Structure formats: structure tokens, C-alpha cells
């Protein structure tokens, strides 16, 4: 009976030790589950942050693409304006050249007319002088 009591005590101690080990294991499992839960929350938070950053990058990329497109349109418009201005300048230069040529021709014509008028005045003066002398 003493052996049986010793065995029962031994078994009770073993049960008690196993019970304590089981409780400790449960605590470790509980702590690990909490860590896992915290890690899952952190991963979820990071995934949300990544999604926000990607969305922001996408928006910024779209805005940049729009700005690039607008700048390209502006450059095209400025080039067209430059071409138009160069064409107008060329046209004005041609008109100025033509007007200068006309002015030169008018000046030559006036000079020729003046010479002709001066000659005619001289002839008329000579004629008047002759008529006065013949009186």
C-alpha cells in the first residue's frame, strides 16, 4: 500500500507538473497569438499605407502627365506663334523694301521733273528776255 501511495503521490506530482507545464504552454501560446495578432495589425496598417502611397503616386503621375501634355501644347502654340511672327516679319520687310523702292522712284521722278521744270523756267526766262529786247 505504501508503494501504491508513493506511486499515487508521484502520479499526482506528475499531473501537477504537467498541469503547470500546460498552463505555461497556454500562456506562451497566448502571448504568441497576441504577437501574431499585433503583427497582423502592423501588416494590415503597412498594406494600407502602401496602398495610400501608390494611390498618391498614381495621382501625382497623372498630374505630371497632364502638366507635360499642357507644356507640349504650349510649346506647339509658341512655335506656331513664332512661325506666324517670322512670316509677318518677312512680309513687313518685303513691304518696307517695296515702299523704299517706290520712294526712290518717286524721288527720281521728282528730281527729273524739277530738272525739267528748271530747264523750262530757264527757257521761258530766255524767251521773255528776247521778247523784251525785241520791243
Amino acid at each position: 500500500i505504501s508503494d501504491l501511495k508513493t506511486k499515487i503521490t508521484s502520479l499526482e506530482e506528475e499531473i501537477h507538473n504537467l498541469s503547470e507545464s500546460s498552463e505555461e504552454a497556454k500562456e506562451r501560446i497566448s502571448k504568441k497569438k497576441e504577437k501574431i495578432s499585433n503583427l497582423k495589425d502592423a501588416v494590415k496598417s503597412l498594406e494600407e499605407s502602401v496602398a495610400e502611397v501608390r494611390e498618391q503616386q498614381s495621382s501625382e503621375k497623372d498630374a505630371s502627365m497632364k502638366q507635360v501634355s499642357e507644356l507640349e501644347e504650349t510649346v506647339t502654340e509658341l512655335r506656331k506663334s513664332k512661325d506666324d511672327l517670322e512670316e509677318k516679319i518677312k512680309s513687313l520687310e518685303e513691304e518696307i523694301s517695296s515702299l523704299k523702292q517706290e520712294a526712290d522712284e518717286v524721288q527720281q521722278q521728282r528730281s527729273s521733273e524739277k530738272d525739267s521744270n528748271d530747264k523750262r523756267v530757264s527757257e521761258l526766262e530766255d524767251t521773255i528776255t528776247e521778247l523784251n529786247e525785241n520791243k
Side-chain angles (χ1 to χ4, degrees), residues 14-25:
E14 193 175 334
I15 288 171
H16 179 70
N17 288 340
L18 287 173
S19 212
E20 283 181 356
S21 292
S22 177
E23 284 300 317
E24 288 173 4

Side-chain angles (χ1 to χ4, degrees), residues 47-59:
E47 287 173 340
E48 289 172 358
S49 295
V50 167
E52 288 174 8
V53 167
R54 284 186 176 156
E55 185 177 325
Q56 183 179 2
Q57 286 176 337
S58 177
S59 295

Side-chain angles (χ1 to χ4, degrees), residues 102-113:
E102 281 183 42
D104 288 346
E105 289 172 2
V106 167
Q107 185 65 31
Q108 283 180 340
Q109 186 178 1
R110 283 186 181 168
S111 178
S112 177
E113 287 174 357

Side-chain angles (χ1 to χ4, degrees), residues 5-6 11 14 18 22 29 33-34 41 43 46 48 51 61 72 80 89 91-92 94 98 106 116 127 134:
K5 282 185 177 182
T6 303
L11 287 173
E14 193 175 334
L18 287 173
S22 177
I29 289 172
K33 282 183 179 179
E34 186 177 339
D41 290 343
V43 167
L46 286 173
E48 289 172 358
K61 181 181 176 187
E72 288 173 344
K80 186 180 182 320
I89 289 170
S91 174
L92 288 172
E94 289 172 358
S98 175
V106 167
S116 177
T127 303
N134 288 335

Side-chain angles (χ1 to χ4, degrees), residues 63-77:
S64 293
M65 294 300 285
K66 183 178 179 185
Q67 287 177 337
V68 166
S69 177
E70 288 172 353
L71 286 173
E72 288 173 344
E73 287 177 24
T74 301
V75 166
T76 300
E77 290 171 5

